[in-house]
Structures are given as structure tokens and as C-alpha cells.
Amino acid sequence: MRLLYLENPRTIALYSETHSLLFHQPEKSKKVIVEISPNARINRENGFKPLLGREVYGCLGLIHLEHQTFVAIISGAIINVANPVNYESVDKIFGVEFISLTGDEWDFVNLDTNGMPVLTANGEEDNYDPNSRIVHPCFELKKLLSNGSFYYSNDFDLTSTLQNRGIVNNNLNSNKPQVSRSIIDHYQTEYMWNSFLMDDLLKFRKNLDQYSQEIVDQNKFLVSVIRGFAKTIQLNSYHDSITLVSKQSWKRAGTRYNARGIDDDGNVANSVETEFIYFQPSRASIFTFIQIRGSVPTFWEQDTNLINPKITLTRSLEATQPIYNKHFQDIFNKYGDYHIVNLLSKTKPNEISVSKRYKQLYNNAPDHSDTDIYTEFDFHQETKQSNAGFAAASKILPYLEDSLSRFGWYSYDINNKESIMNQNGVFRTNCLDCLDRTNLIQQIICQEVIKIILENQGSGSNHRDRNSFEDLRLKYNTLWADNGDAISQIYTGTNALKSSFSRAGKMSFAGALSDVTKSVSRLYQNTFVDGKKQSTMDLLLGYDAKYSKPVKIFDPINDYVNEQLRNRYSEFTTYDNIKIFVGTYNINALDPSNAGDLSTWLFPPENFDYEELPDIYAIGLQELIELNAGGMLNADPTLPSKWANILNYQLNSQNVEYLLLRTESITSMSLFLFVKKSQIHNVTQVGGASKKTGLGGIAANKGACGVRFEFGNTSFVLITSHLAAGMAAIVERFNDYSTIMAGLTFTRNYTVNDHDHVIWFGDLNYRIALANDQCRNSIENGAFDELITLDQLNQEMNTKGGAFTGFKEGDIKFYPTYKFDKGTENYDTSEKQRVPSWTDRVVYLDNEKYGEKLQQLNYNSVMNLRVSDHKPVYSTFKSKVKFTNTAKKNELSKKLYDQYKVEHEGESPLLELSSSLSGESTSEASLLDDFPSSNTPSSSPAPRLPNRPTVTNNNVNDGNGNGNGVGLVPRRLPPPPASRKQNATDFTSTLSQTLPRKLPPKPDENFLINGPPPPAYTSASAPPPPPVRKSITTLSASNINIPTPVSAKPKPTPIGFTTTPLIPSRSNSATPVTPPPSKVSIAPSASVPPPSSLSHTSILDKGVKPMIPKKPTPLSTTKIIKPNNEISKSDPDLSIQTNPKLGNTTPPTPPPPRLNSSIQNSSSLPSSMSEWKPLVPK
């Protein structure tokens, strides 16, 4: 498969065996046109040219970033890293390219390690602004997909297990197994990591007729990708092998401290399905055994402190129970019975809290009367050095023996062509990270299965069998150790701990020292690297609310269905009204035991006028501690949980059950979200975030806590805050507000403005700008309207660009809430005599895109609570929420699809090429000649290196179809000529060893006999000019006069050589080697010989000497550049001068001296090599 491009209109083509898949995005359109065309139309006569000089292996999908649409292409792969059975192969990705459909500015660009285009040594002489170097929009995605953790297969559905997809017995003994391409229809979404990128492409394929679908499948255009580990190790000459395939779910994907516990859909972090396959043709048998791992299925988080990071349970037991039940119901539906193996410690405080909650959830779950399916095994305690170390981990086997005999494993008899036994249950193992301890225990369980299998076969009865078993054990340990390292790299960025024991069966001193090093490395990764990796994963998976935008494909069927769904939304959409109570209270470091009765605040008289109590309670408490150095350093971390218990008790005193759904805290404040038990199923996507603003964001004495959630399909964010104090601190409060608005970011990159409704409440600390005596006198006279006009918050909200601009607030009809003498209703009588003010407020904001607005039912304060120097404030809102019945929507959607196909029966769904692209059909031989693969001789030069553009260019497209963009164009370099696909043929070696390259195909006999087709141009004419780039100013034509080297301005030398890379010849290669030309100019395509310099037959007839590395061309030839005013449009490159006699080259001319910028004339030149100065990049 090759990647081609068409300049106008810009089209990217995947050129496969019989057809090509084309991508084109019209200007000013957000949709992409996907076309399927026979290869006869994709040729050079129709304008198609190679874009990458190497083979590609399929499309991963489409993504939209920074006003550009990119198609993701696999450009490098190691083939056959795993073979579960002999007719199935798994390939490992190590190279991915993102090709822009919007513009060509990233074509033929080499990127450095930072994702920026490669620069020359002297940018000033090349008219290039260093500030214009920009990072490729998809660079982080490219790094992620190329890191060696992604795998794919064109032979079978890699997202499934061997037991589910079955054995194709005819393929076991066939040299040419039949490959079923129906795998795209049956993949498991949770393991397909490119689901977001492929979403619309899969819909496009699904809407094609069966014949067109077969074309897409047979040409292997679309590739499903898993993330995890896959490897096969050969055991003997009978082709027996063991394979391990681990697939990580992307539903709650993330790095170590960014993804913990469970989500509202029952998905857990670091969820991995591991399948062990024992392919044993020597015994005509195939065995598989499946295990799963995953984080503790409760809502918990862990901070990123370097030392002893604290674990927080963020949801109550009662609110977690339904999600826990759903998680294990999904496991039961997929695997059958299950056995929980919990390896958490019983002595470490952090792990105790999570393990205790796990056991509580298990005990409260239905159908768990059999206690044998839950095993607690304190791994650290049981494997202490005094207890025989890690070897004591096998003590867990007696606890699992009954379940293992009940679950069994999958067994297939090759001779009888039938399944002997199926696996009917699965072990679910976890520790805290589900890495090191989990991997070792899974290895021990699987080893017990192999032991039973071999004993049943009667192996081990003689010396030969014992040697074979020992060899199997060593290779088996290596396989599991590699698996542990791979999963650990994904989740933490380092290899697994305890891998020394996994490999050798014992823990050495070097292994222990290595574990210490890995632990330190994990601390660094967690602190400085994981945040960026998490953002990249969210972007890839479509979880990034800000940047992840799906790419839509022009599809008449899909457009028709979507239009009908919009018109008939009432058939699957319903609405309801809910009430939300928000309360804020600055408790002035009140001890929770002295809280007293809060019912007058939580259940105000106004709310008794309504039939039901509010559906949601959001309570914000500020100043949980004394706001001084001692209070901050000695803060009690249990205060939030104590207050949560008090609020939970009082809220449930009215015969209506409320559940604590989320607690979000920093040292000095907390936000509690309670939901009616009857409404708990409607609240999803709950997340929390906090932001410190004290001392420039360092201290937690000031800041904000926020909780976001979705009620049905309507999103809310609730924020409580404590802003800077003081009458004159208006600017500081504005800065706090701005910091919170910009920095309060939730999971999946949600910000405050991404929600339908925002309710902000807390101690905002805004004062009344009036003298103390005048303010108190106005309060006594009830002149609230006059005081409101002098309220600083009111003034800020009415000022353009001020704090809380756009927010709304109800009428204030209650007394100022600050400051009172504690225990009284008297305003401050201390020496400071603070001005009474409405510091405690509730404001709200409706998103303009959302039609329904919040309705504020009441807004008041409670004056009879005297436990603080503030008074509590509350407000109740009524909101209209939307619900979408997904089942009805999908049913209607299917009905509309079927209806459209019936009405348009007989119409071809294939999108043909436009008439402007049509041309005479050419033979396959000419197509191969037009687009040579990396394994065949090239018959045409590669695209040349364009001249560096100027800094600004009015012709540059800005991404929106306009032409006034800035010419921030990276430098273009020719694509590397060598193929990047490698073949892993030695399964016993590790992937770090050098792998042999894939051999090229043999030359076509007809091609050798009849010779190559007539070239598109002859050597007498100049090579065709490159396509005109949108972002490059073309040079005007003029006469060509080659200046002498002395007076010429030296061309800036690139960092690294731009000539042909030295590639040693291969004795087993069928690719002929072209002798070097006699003289090489600065043309970037110097690696490609002129079309007429040699014929294919002459190369094959004459003996060709192997390539011998010599001095690089830039150090042995004269580099001459023409002035801009002398370059002809018809001759953009200096032609390649060749000697008629093969192998003869003219003696190289010494390079011109490097001129100092201060020397205009070359009167004084270095007389010897020792006087030359090295090139130093600027």
C-alpha cells in the first residue's frame, strides 16, 4: 500500500491492491469527501504523485486539530510479533504520519524531537524567521501512537479472544489461509483505541453495499488498533508456541494518578484483558486462558504528592453501590462467573480505606452469598523476605483452586476439529495500580493452568520431557515479564517492579536496586510528564471537550438520517423540571461537633411551599480551619468527612433519602454534592476540580472548589469560592476570579464555560464602599437599594470586563451577612469595626447556546445561626433538563437508514472520481512504474525540496479558506527512501534486537522481457517542477547564469546531510543498486537517478558492485546556488550531471570556504583544512 497525493484539488490517496481510497476536503467545508476508485484512474497522468517514499499499512482515521483535518496513516510496523495460531499474525506499530487534508505545508517535512521542522544552520541567509517554527499540531499524537504500545492485525479481529472468534481448522494446515475481513463488523469497541478517529469512516463503510464493503475490506484500508502487549515465543521444531495478548480498555484510560477507580458507566482504570495461548500442533491441541485486571471499582482519587500521596473516597457507599453492581454485571455478561482477587495491604492506611470500601460494596451486592469468590491476599505481608520472599506468592493458589476447576480453560482438538472445553469464568485481580503485584499473581495462576494441562498429557515422565518443561518455564517467565513491563510503561512510564523475579524466579540484589530506580522514575513521570500524556490520550479518544472535534464525512445516507433525527427529536426526547438548593456558609473554623441544628438553613420555610424537597443539594463551606500559618500546617485532613457526615445526617432527617455523590476539598474549604436517591440514576459524568489562589496560587487559604455533572443531557457546574479579603482588594478579587475561571479544569478538559448552567456561591468578600457609620445607619433604616448601588460586586458585574460579568443575581432582601460578633446578631464591635457587607453571595450564569434558563425561586439568609461571624446564605433554583432515549433514537435511526436504502435501491454508493480526474486506463505495469514501492527501483525523481518561503505571504491559507494567513511554513525535506516495515521472525529474541527487513518482491517477468514503459519525460528535458504550494511564493523566471564559486554567496548548510543516506547493499535483496552519478548538485532528490541514465535491463544484465561508504557528498563537491534573479521557472533545480560510462565520476571539487558575515569579499581564504571553522547552528 502506498500514499499518493493530488495537488489540485488536494486529495490524499491510499493506493492498495485493486482500488484506492481517496480523501478530499473542499475549501470552507467541515466535511471530508471519501471516494473509492479503481487503481486504473490513480496514475501520474491524472496528477497523482508519491507523498511518502515508503510503504504504508492502513488508515487509523481522521482528526480535526487547529483548523486542519488530518488523516492518520500507519507508516512503520514490525510484522509478525505475535502469532496466536499459525494463520493469524499481529503487527506492532512504530510509525504514524498525520497528513493534512487542508493544506500542504506539512508535506515532506522532517520534524525534530520537539515536533518542529528541521532548521538549517544559518536561518538569516535563508530568509527564515526562527520565531515562525511551530510544532506540528499532531506531534503529541504521533509520539503516542508510535511509542510501541499499539498493535493491529489484518488477519483477524484482534479485539476478540480466540475462544470467541473460533478456530478455522482449514487454515491450520493451509499454506494460503483464507482471511475473513468481516472483523470490522464485530470488533469490541472498548479495546479499539482508534474508535473516535474511525467513527465516521466505519459509518461510511456500513452504508455501502456488500460489494463495496468487500472492496474496502480486501484492500485493508481501515485498521482497528489495540493498546497493550502481544508476543509469541517458539518452543521447539514442532512449531509449538506460547503467546500472550493483553488489551487495555480505553473507556477509562489514563496515567497513574489521573485515572483511578471507576466512572459512572462502570468502567475502571487500567482495565486489561490478558489472553494466554498455548499452540501445540505436536499434540494436535490449542489451549487458551483469560484473566482480567482493573482498579478497585469504587470512586477514589489520589493526589500527586511526591511522598505518600493521599487517597480520597469521593462518593458515598450508597451512591457507589449501583455503579459497582453494574461493573460486575458487565463482567458476568461477558465472561460468566468471576472470582475477585484483592491484593491490597492490610497495614498501609491508604490501601486499608480502599480495601475496606471494596469489601463493603461486595457484601452489599446481590447474589454474593458464596464468599469463596472474594479472596483478600495481603501480597506485601505474605511475600516478606522472612516468608521466602516473592516465591511465597504461590500460597494464594489454594484459595483459588475451586474456582479454577469450575472456570476451566479453552481447549481445542485439531484432529477432531472440535472444542473440548470452554472457559466459563474469569479471575479479576487488582492491587493499587494493578501492575506489579497483579502481574505476578496472574503469572502464577496461569502457570498452574499449564501445569495441569501438561500433567493431563502425561508430560514429564522422562528426561526429555523434563528438559522441555524447563525450557518452557524459562520462556514463559520471560513472556510474562515482558507483558508486565509493557502494561507498566503505558500506565506509569516505567517498567514493572518485581520483573527480576518474574524472569528468573528469584529476586537478586541488582533486581532490587533496579526497582528502586524505577520507583524514583515513576515519581518524576507522575509529577512532570503524566499530565501532558493524559491530555494527549483524551485528545485521541475524543474525551477532550475543548479540542476533540469529530470529523464528519460527506455521506448522503448519514446526512439524511441526521436531518430527520433533528426534525423528529420529540420522538426520543423528553423534558423534566428539577430543583437545586445551593448554600454557602463561612464557618470561621467551627468544630464540627459544635455545628448544632442547621435545619433552618437546609430546609428554609420558602421551600415548604413546594410539594417536594430539592432534587440536588450543593453545600459550600469556607474557613474550615484558622487561616494562619499554624492552622494551615496543622490542618485536620478528616474535617471534610466529618462535615459530610453531619450534613448527611441532617439532610436525611426529613424522610427523604439523599446520597453524597461528590466531595471536593482543599485545606480551607469543601463542596458537598448530595442527590436524592430516586434521582441518582439520572446524574452522570460527575467530576471535581479545585484551584488555589492564596499567595499566588501556592496557599489554600483562598481559592475555589467545583463539581460538574450531567443531569440527563443537561450539564451543570457548581462552584464555591473564598476570594481575597479587604475593602481595597478589588483588583485581587478580580485576579482570583480570573484565575479560577481559567484554571478550574475538570476531567476531559471541561472548563466552566463548557456547561449549560453555572451556579457560583461562596464568600466572595466584596464589600459596601461606604463609611462604617453611614452603612450601619442605612441598614437600620432598611435602605438596601441605596446600599446595593455601592456594593462592589454589583459594580463589577455591571462593568464591562469586570469580575462576574454576564452572571446574574437575584434581588437581595436580607441583611448584610458579615461581620457579626460570634454568638450574637450584632455587627462587629471590635476595634476594627468592619463595615457590614454582603460578602456571602449566590450568582448564576446560563449558556447562551442553551435555550432554557435557570429560574431562581428564592434567595435569602438565616440570621438565627450564631456559631460564626458570618451568616449562611441559600438559594433554590428550578431548571428544565433534557433526556434522550438512546434506544428509541437508535431504533428510529435504523428505520431511517433502511428506508433510505429502499428508496434509493440500484444507485451506486461508490463515490466516483470527478470527471476532471478521469483518464485513459493504464496497465498495472505502468502504475507500478509510476508509483514505485520502496523495494523496487525508482523510475522518477522524488518531489524536489522547495525554496524556503519568506516570513509573510498573503497567499497563505489561514485554515478558513482565507488568504491572509502568516507564512509560518516549515522547511520541506524529501521523504526518506527506505521502507520502515520490519519483520519479527525470531520469536525468542526481544524486540530491542535488530530485526531483519522484509524482502522486496521479485521483478515481474513481463517487465524484464519487455522493458519499462515509456517514461513520462526524458533526460533531455528538465524534471517536472514541483506543485505550487499555497504557502510558498513562486520565483519569477529569468536567464540562468552560474556564478563562480569565489563570488557566490555560500548556501547555508543544513543540520545533517541532505544527500542520499548511505545504505549498505544486501546480498539477499532483489533490488538493483544504481552506481553513483559522476557529479551531484544540490537537488534534494539526489538519491533518485535520472529516468534515462540507466534502463532496468542494463542494470540486471551488468554486474553491479556493492555500495561502499565514502565521504559524504557535501564534503566532496562544490555547492553552488544561483541568485534569485537568475533562477528560471522552467529549471527550478540544478540538473544531475552524469557520466555516460557507469561508475566513472569526475574528481570532486573542494567546497567553497565558509565566509564570515563581516567579510563581503573572499580576498582572504583559509589556506588549509585546519583553518576551517565548524558550522555552528544559530
Side-chain angles (χ1 to χ4, degrees), residues 783-814:
F784 287 0
D785 292 342
E786 290 78 3
L787 293 176
I788 286 295
T789 59
L790 299 173
D791 176 69
Q792 293 176 342
L793 176 59
N794 186 60
Q795 294 173 351
E796 282 284 286
M797 293 172 65
N798 293 324
T799 301
K800 185 177 181 180
F804 295 97
T805 301
F807 280 81
K808 303 174 186 177
E809 185 181 23
D811 295 335
I812 297 179
K813 298 179 180 179
F814 51 88

Side-chain angles (χ1 to χ4, degrees), residues 93-393:
I93 298 173
F94 71 85
V96 174
E97 298 291 339
F98 285 84
I99 310 299
S100 174
L101 300 179
T102 311
D104 59 0
E105 59 267 28
W106 293 104
D107 292 355
F108 311 117
V109 172
N110 286 345
L111 304 178
D112 60 19
T113 55
N114 296 317
M116 296 182 180
V118 176
L119 285 179
T120 55
N122 192 335
E124 296 178 357
E125 293 185 359
D126 212 15
N127 296 325
Y128 188 77
D129 182 7
N131 295 326
S132 68
R133 294 183 73 214
I134 56 176
V135 178
H136 192 292
C138 301
F139 177 67
E140 292 299 329
L141 287 174
K142 175 180 171 131
K143 273 204 322 184
L144 175 64
L145 290 167
S146 305
N147 66 4
S149 64
F150 291 88
Y151 299 80
Y152 73 97
S153 175
N154 286 319
D155 302 328
F156 67 100
D157 178 14
L158 189 52
T159 66
S160 67
T161 61
L162 186 60
Q163 175 176 318
N164 290 338
R165 63 179 177 268
I167 303 293
V168 183
N169 204 82
N170 293 335
N171 286 346
L172 290 173
N173 302 316
S174 174
N175 293 328
K176 295 182 179 180
Q178 298 295 322
V179 178
S180 173
R181 288 295 297 170
S182 61
I183 57 177
I184 295 181
D185 295 321
H186 306 291
Y187 66 89
Q188 297 184 53
T189 308
E190 65 175 314
Y191 297 126
M192 183 176 171
W193 271 69
N194 58 330
S195 295
F196 176 71
L197 276 62
M198 289 282 285
D199 186 37
D200 255 43
L201 280 173
L202 293 178
K203 291 178 181 177
F204 168 78
R205 175 195 172 276
K206 184 178 180 181
N207 293 335
L208 300 175
D209 59 25
Q210 183 177 357
Y211 172 74
S212 304
Q213 288 183 11
E214 290 177 356
I215 290 177
V216 174
D217 296 345
Q218 291 172 0
N219 285 275
K220 305 176 183 179
F221 291 127
L222 307 181
V223 176
S224 61
V225 171
I226 69 163
R227 191 179 195 193
F229 175 77
K231 185 178 180 181
T232 294
I233 296 181
Q234 297 287 353
L235 299 178
N236 51 42
S237 59
Y238 300 105
H239 304 293
D240 292 354
S241 65
I242 53 175
T243 301
L244 211 55
V245 178
S246 290
K247 303 183 286 285
Q248 187 187 56
S249 171
W250 58 265
K251 292 296 184 71
R252 188 163 172 76
T255 52
R256 189 182 182 191
Y257 289 150
N258 293 297
R260 292 294 206 189
I262 197 171
D263 65 12
D264 291 289
D265 296 321
N267 304 305
V268 294
N270 200 20
S271 174
V272 181
E273 176 191 86
T274 300
E275 181 182 21
F276 175 80
I277 302 113
Y278 186 12
F279 181 55
Q280 198 180 22
S282 63
R283 299 269 185 164
S285 300
I286 302 174
F287 304 96
T288 71
F289 184 67
I290 301 169
Q291 300 180 78
I292 60 174
R293 69 176 77 183
S295 186
V296 176
T298 186
F299 291 91
W300 61 284
E301 295 176 353
Q302 193 170 13
D303 59 33
T304 56
N305 291 336
L306 291 179
I307 301 176
N308 194 25
K310 183 182 68 173
I311 289 178
T312 304
L313 298 173
T314 59
R315 192 174 296 193
S316 66
L317 175 67
E318 297 80 8
T320 305
Q321 192 69 56
I323 311 300
Y324 173 92
N325 296 343
K326 182 182 185 302
H327 171 71
F328 280 99
Q329 185 62 45
D330 292 341
I331 292 178
F332 178 80
N333 295 338
K334 184 175 182 180
Y335 300 103
D337 293 335
Y338 54 86
H339 188 122
I340 300 170
V341 181
N342 181 14
L343 305 177
L344 292 176
S345 173
K346 297 179 181 179
T347 57
K348 295 184 178 181
N350 274 345
E351 296 191 13
I352 289 175
S353 61
V354 178
S355 185
K356 181 179 178 181
R357 174 61 58 85
Y358 197 178
K359 189 61 180 290
Q360 290 173 333
L361 290 167
Y362 170 79
N363 291 333
N364 295 337
D367 302 328
H368 278 176
S369 57
D370 186 358
T371 56
D372 290 337
I373 68 171
Y374 183 92
T375 298
E376 288 184 333
F377 186 80
D378 188 344
F379 183 91
H380 291 309
Q381 181 68 26
E382 298 291 343
T383 59
K384 283 185 176 179
Q385 198 63 36
S386 58
N387 294 337
F390 294 137

Side-chain angles (χ1 to χ4, degrees), residues 426-450:
V426 68
F427 289 98
R428 185 200 187 277
T429 310
N430 73 271
C431 51
L432 197 65
D433 299 324
C434 302
L435 294 175
D436 318 311
R437 290 174 276 180
T438 298
N439 196 74
L440 184 56
I441 293 299
Q442 286 190 337
Q443 178 181 350
I444 290 173
I445 297 173
C446 188
Q447 183 174 314
E448 182 68 13
V449 172
I450 296 179

